[in-house]
Amino acid sequence: MANIKSQKKRILTAEKARQRNRAYKSALKTAVRRVREAVAEKDGVKAYVAAQEACRLLDKAAGKGIIHKNQAANRKSGVMQLANTVVTPEDIANAPKREKRVPEAKGGTKKAARKAEKKAAYAAADAEKAKRREETLKLEKAAHERKAAEAAAAEAEGEEAAE
């Protein structure tokens, strides 16, 4: 066992990272297995969707440093080659589009409540600003029309004086 405090911390953090990496690698294997199973069933749509999901997970793993980016690229290539043995253009067209997940506010925490309050305050401020802007535009338009009328009146007076 290490004697140095920083080394003890390093051992703990390394173990956490190892556990996280194991879980992620397991998820990657499962995703690739789903592609293989879909190809074995000759289900093009299912294979295409599974391949997309596997590629997404591989990219995320490479981004987090769990696997090397070249290994991710090689695995993605293999997954797509495998999927393309059964996928047709019709399957791609019929495949459901992946919806982006929008994080939900949990609502149970103080932080979430403050965040919601802040969001509501910003919305109210935006509405107030739009209202003030509209009033300003009305006043500017009225002033512009008044100036134009005064200029026209002055011009008419100038013509009458000239005659």
Side-chain angles (χ1 to χ4, degrees):
M1 184 67 191
N3 295 333
I4 301 165
K5 187 175 182 181
S6 62
Q7 189 58 37
K8 289 178 183 177
K9 276 187 188 176
R10 177 56 58 198
I11 290 168
L12 292 175
T13 57
E15 181 60 22
K16 281 183 194 172
R18 188 181 74 83
Q19 294 293 336
R20 186 181 61 241
N21 292 349
R22 271 183 64 192
Y24 225 97
K25 285 181 179 182
S26 175
L28 291 175
K29 290 175 191 172
T30 304
V32 173
R33 180 177 44 82
R34 285 192 185 122
V35 175
R36 278 197 224 107
E37 289 171 355
V39 169
E41 294 171 7
K42 304 268 190 240
D43 186 352
V45 174
K46 193 174 172 184
Y48 180 71
V49 171
Q52 280 187 320
E53 181 66 16
C55 289
R56 189 178 73 80
L57 288 175
L58 285 163
D59 281 336
K60 283 179 81 174
K64 292 179 183 214
I66 295 167
I67 61 174
H68 194 273
K69 64 178 184 170
N70 291 354
Q71 187 188 45
N74 288 336
R75 286 200 201 177
K76 280 170 53 178
S77 173
V79 163
M80 289 311 291
Q81 278 183 337
L82 182 65
N84 284 336
T85 58
V86 293
V87 175
T88 62
E90 292 81 35
D91 292 333
I92 294 171
N94 294 334
K97 301 293 181 238
R98 188 178 161 274
E99 293 181 19
K100 290 187 177 181
R101 282 191 241 164
V102 178
E104 299 174 15
K106 293 189 172 107
T109 63
K110 290 179 186 176
K111 186 176 180 181
R114 282 194 308 269
K115 193 173 183 181
E117 286 174 18
K118 198 183 261 188
K119 193 173 186 179
Y122 280 137
D126 284 345
E128 182 65 30
K129 186 176 179 181
K131 194 170 145 184
R132 283 195 317 265
R133 179 73 180 143
E134 205 171 292
E135 288 174 12
T136 304
L137 288 175
K138 274 186 194 174
L139 291 173
E140 285 177 357
K141 187 176 179 183
H144 181 69
E145 288 172 356
R146 192 173 59 247
K147 267 190 175 178
E150 287 174 4
E155 192 175 306
E157 280 183 26
E159 286 179 10
E160 285 179 15
E163 290 177 6

